[in-house]
Amino acid sequence: MNKVHLITLCFLLTAIYAFSPLKGQEKFTLQQADASLQHAVQQIKVLAERSAEGMLPKTYDKGKNFDSESGWWTSGFYPGTLLYLYEYSGEESLLHLAREKLRLLEKEKYNTTTHDLGFMLYCSFGNAMRITGDTAAYREILLKGAESLATRYSPITKAIRSWDFDNFPVIIDNMMNLEFLNSASRLSGDRHFADISVIHANTTMLNHYRKDYSCYHVVDYDPKTGKVIKKKTNQGAFDESAWARGQAWGLYGYTMMYRDTGDRKYLTFAKKIASYMLKHPNMPKDLIAYWDYDAPDLPDDSKYAQYVDYRDVSTASLTASALLEMSTMVKGKLSRYYRETAERILYNLSTDRYTAKQGTNGGFLLMHSVGSIPHNSEVDVPLSYADYYYVEALLRYKNYYHASN
Ligand code: GLY
């Protein structure tokens, strides 16, 4: 090799290193995934001891654990995480704890006042049925719950109603409930649920997304005509901003829609959302997003000046999980890019910066999530769903890439 070749080679290697998502120490390994999962198995036992009888863990702040009733939107995540960790470890005590909480949740199958039934019932009972294989125990609960969710669909707006105030508000988060409907169609053979899901996903593509593939949080429709009345935010910095978790709900939602329907337009859409998120100039180097993609450079008069640079770890967990699934749906360089980006997120989430030490953080795994800054609610705290999607991502990482180990 002559001098020119050598210099060219050095230049190329430097460029590859500089643009590689895994530069530095951010290489995630199977050993790290196992260490994180083993830590999670121990840590969730701390959470179990700290959560009130008859309640479901939600968050922890200033030395105090906060739990919810079964009707709160996050109620399914703790039993879901227990089930994932039971699946990983085979520890029967985790299944036992999950079953105790599932008994509290079952009545939500009759709840027609919320669109969050996918989070509540599918992350919990859906996983219970998949992991235990006990269809007889869970089928009726899942189908009754899906029927309740389907009552919120309107053929006029071509969407499922999210909240029971305003006119007919639909939030991007609702994409996450479609997996529940798709599964109900598979379980029952009744296309009705999956048809609603596809129509809702298509309406959301049309009305929630901007040209740059960022999305609005809320689209409020006229229930009588189906026309859009207003596009706005509830948990983001301002109406035109890109609330971080909303972008991740959409990414995960359209990835899942491709998995469930095989319709490539959803994968194409998810790829565009991923580009918006991952190439965003405000994305921090460690890929743990700020709470809003328009942060930290919010307008000077921002009401949220004190929070501008807060991260939202729940967005990062969700994004890692979705990217890992996307990496199995595409080939070559793009697949490697999604996988390596997810690995980099998991690597960073697994460090002391975001993972709590055993016995601390009220028994939750991850620190530094944000519920809603505009409501000054759950700011810079652990959240049950950040942990759920983190554990899911760790398991996906193991299952997709280390299945034979
Ligand atoms: N689904 C409510 C939230 O993401 O905060």
Side-chain angles (χ1 to χ4, degrees):
M1 192 181 293
N2 67 29
K3 207 168 155 191
V4 175
H5 283 140
L6 195 65
I7 291 169
T8 312
L9 185 66
C10 286
F11 176 78
L12 277 175
L13 287 175
T14 311
I16 288 167
Y17 175 79
F19 291 103
S20 162
L22 287 179
K23 61 179 180 262
Q25 295 298 305
E26 296 170 335
K27 182 86 186 89
F28 199 63
T29 62
L30 176 64
Q31 287 71 26
Q32 281 167 302
D34 275 322
S36 297
L37 284 162
Q38 279 155 20
H39 171 64
V41 168
Q42 298 313 318
Q43 184 72 344
I44 206 160
K45 293 175 190 164
V46 178
L47 182 56
E49 273 165 27
R50 295 184 66 108
S51 87
E53 178 116 9
M55 302 286 277
L56 294 130
K58 193 167 65 155
T59 183
Y60 167 84
D61 198 12
K62 300 182 186 70
K64 194 170 165 356
N65 280 65
F66 293 88
D67 304 297
S68 77
E69 305 273 353
S70 60
W72 182 242
W73 77 276
T74 61
S75 58
F77 292 116
Y78 170 68
T81 310
L82 283 166
L83 287 159
Y84 274 147
L85 292 173
Y86 163 66
E87 184 178 27
Y88 170 70
S89 66
E91 280 195 32
E92 290 290 330
S93 65
L94 300 179
L95 180 60
H96 178 77
L97 284 168
R99 283 188 169 135
E100 261 176 29
K101 298 299 182 186
L102 292 180
R103 279 193 281 279
L104 297 173
L105 262 181
E106 180 174 342
K107 61 178 174 299
E108 299 308 326
K109 67 187 176 185
Y110 299 115
N111 189 343
T112 55
T113 67
T114 178
H115 74 134
D116 286 319
L117 292 175
F119 289 130
M120 294 154 71
L121 299 177
Y122 193 65
C123 297
S124 53
F125 290 100
N127 270 321
M129 190 171 78
R130 180 182 63 78
I131 293 166
T132 64
D134 192 350
T135 308
Y138 302 116
R139 185 178 190 277
E140 182 276 334
I141 300 168
L142 287 163
L143 291 182
K144 181 43 92 186
E147 264 175 42
S148 297
L149 177 55
T151 63
R152 301 182 66 79
Y153 174 74
S154 156
I156 299 172
T157 57
K158 298 189 170 24
I160 299 161
R161 182 178 184 128
S162 292
W163 297 324
D164 287 345
F165 49 84
D166 282 353
N167 298 291
F168 190 106
V170 177
I171 62 175
I172 188 63
D173 322 30
N174 209 339
M175 282 302 301
M176 297 296 286
N177 294 307
L178 305 184
E179 189 171 5
F180 183 31
L181 294 178
N182 297 340
S183 83
S185 275
R186 288 193 299 270
L187 199 56
S188 63
D190 180 350
R191 286 258 356 132
H192 173 62
F193 302 111
D195 287 347
I196 289 177
S197 157
V198 163
I199 297 170
H200 181 98
N202 295 345
T203 303
T204 302
M205 274 168 101
L206 205 62
N207 295 326
H208 267 77
Y209 280 84
R210 306 183 181 102
K211 284 206 173 67
D212 63 359
Y213 294 92
S214 70
C215 68
Y216 289 92
H217 181 191
V218 188
V219 175
D220 194 20
Y221 294 90
D222 181 333
K224 294 210 181 74
T225 64
K227 291 218 162 68
V228 172
I229 297 174
K230 191 160 171 51
K231 300 185 180 192
K232 57 186 180 178
T233 198
N234 189 258
Q235 286 161 253
F238 49 97
D239 288 346
E240 289 300 324
S241 78
W243 172 51
R245 192 162 54 254
Q247 312 313 303
W249 289 141
L251 179 74
Y252 191 114
Y254 284 103
T255 304
M256 171 281 297
M257 283 305 289
Y258 174 60
R259 182 213 312 145
D260 278 359
T261 65
D263 187 335
R264 289 195 78 79
K265 77 167 179 266
Y266 297 128
L267 178 60
T268 306
F269 206 67
K271 281 156 71 175
K272 302 247 171 75
I273 300 170
S275 289
Y276 171 83
M277 294 170 76
L278 301 179
K279 298 199 166 104
H280 201 288
N282 292 346
M283 177 63 101
K285 279 206 172 52
D286 67 1
L287 297 179
I288 313 302
Y290 295 111
W291 64 284
D292 192 296
Y293 277 86
D294 287 69
D297 304 317
L298 294 176
D300 288 344
D301 62 347
S302 166
K303 294 175 277 186
Y304 310 121
Q306 74 187 100
Y307 304 122
V308 282
D309 59 353
Y310 280 39
R311 306 297 185 92
D312 177 33
V313 155
S314 73
T315 294
S317 312
L318 262 166
T319 303
S321 191
L323 289 176
L324 281 168
E325 177 156 41
M326 287 176 80
S327 75
T328 67
M329 295 169 165
V330 296
K331 292 198 168 65
K333 268 213 285 230
L334 189 58
S335 168
R336 210 173 61 236
Y337 171 64
Y338 289 150
R339 174 186 168 171
E340 289 181 353
T341 307
E343 286 177 344
R344 192 169 148 206
I345 297 174
L346 291 179
Y347 176 91
N348 287 317
L349 287 179
S350 302
T351 62
D352 290 353
R353 164 91 170 89
Y354 299 107
T355 291
K357 293 222 165 6
Q358 196 75 60
T360 67
N361 205 32
F364 288 92
L365 268 178
L366 298 173
M367 305 176 283
H368 306 306
S369 286
V370 161
S372 178
I373 283 185
H375 301 92
N376 198 16
S377 164
E378 301 177 335
V379 176
D380 196 24
V381 292
L383 290 168
S384 57
Y385 42 101
D387 286 4
Y388 175 87
Y389 290 105
Y390 174 58
V391 169
E392 179 181 90
L394 291 168
L395 291 176
R396 282 183 172 181
Y397 174 70
K398 275 179 68 82
N399 291 337
Y400 297 159
Y401 293 112
H402 301 279
S404 55
N405 288 299

